[in-house]
Amino acid sequence: MRVIARAAAVTAIGPLLGLLLGAAGPADSPVNVPEPDGLYTGPPRGYTPATLKGATVIDRKGLEALLPEGPILIDVVLADHRPAGLPADRPWLPTHRSIPGAVWMPGAGGAPLSPEKEEAFLRRVAELTGGDRAKPVVTFCRPECWGSWNAGKRLVAAGYSRVHWFPLGVEGWQDDHDTAVAKPDPAWTAATGARAAER
């Protein structure tokens, strides 16, 4: 009798369980986030898509394999805020660590960006690539960061044919490799007024 009762309970719960699982289906799954039509303008941190149309999504091994080609590594991690309540006369010197050789353009993955900042970003990438839109470019920031996705999307839209998105970011790289202290790119800073200490 107990076996029959259990079987009946499972049969009754089955459809309900199916409904609950269906409610938490692919649209809510962190591994199945759909790509937005354009740039993502929501909160900068959160689950990101597994794809970036027109670009190649790479993991750590993919980045390691690409490095001998000398790709342009673009770090768009936002600069840290000065801590609230820190006295104005107290020095605050945050350190940002990145993938060695990366060009750090704090906030370049933001959306929306002013036309002036967007133009400055594309101009700086053109300088770094020597105007070669077939040169490999890698965009990254931190895990679950939309900024690097947006930066890659901008480059694809601008006609770059070998854009690589590294969604694991700095933390994903440092799992197996050393990082290096990075300073904001002087050209980006001069063009946009971006600062490392505050934003």
Side-chain angles (χ1 to χ4, degrees):
M1 290 296 287
R2 284 183 185 173
V3 173
I4 294 172
R6 280 185 192 157
V10 169
T11 303
I13 291 173
L16 178 59
L17 188 59
L19 281 173
L20 290 172
L21 291 175
D28 300 318
S29 170
V31 295
N32 201 11
V33 176
E35 288 193 35
D37 292 332
L39 296 173
Y40 177 76
T41 58
R45 297 297 298 274
Y47 293 132
T48 53
T51 57
L52 173 49
K53 188 175 180 180
T56 302
V57 181
I58 56 174
D59 58 12
R60 190 167 52 251
K61 289 195 179 300
L63 179 53
E64 291 167 352
L66 186 65
L67 287 179
E69 293 188 50
I72 304 302
L73 304 173
I74 300 176
D75 180 346
V76 298
V77 170
L78 291 167
D80 289 332
H81 285 291
R82 182 181 178 88
L86 186 68
D89 61 348
R90 178 96 38 99
W92 184 63
L93 304 169
T95 300
H96 175 60
R97 300 192 68 86
S98 188
I99 299 172
V103 178
W104 183 27
M105 292 190 259
L113 278 183
S114 68
E116 295 78 18
K117 285 188 178 181
E118 185 148 0
E119 182 185 341
F121 172 68
L122 295 175
R123 183 173 62 246
R124 183 62 179 129
V125 175
E127 292 168 357
L128 293 166
T129 59
D132 180 3
R133 294 189 184 188
K135 186 169 181 65
V137 179
V138 179
T139 62
F140 67 95
C141 50
R142 300 200 182 282
E144 298 176 4
C145 165
W146 278 94
S148 56
W149 192 92
N150 279 342
K153 181 90 169 175
R154 283 191 173 101
L155 294 176
V156 169
Y160 286 85
S161 61
R162 295 190 65 200
V163 176
H164 297 77
W165 176 42
F166 180 54
L168 296 177
V170 178
E171 287 79 1
W173 177 256
Q174 70 185 11
D175 282 346
D176 284 338
H177 300 280
D178 288 335
T179 55
V181 173
K183 300 291 185 187
D185 179 62
W188 170 251
T189 301
T192 64
R195 292 189 293 172
E198 295 181 89
R199 55 175 167 82

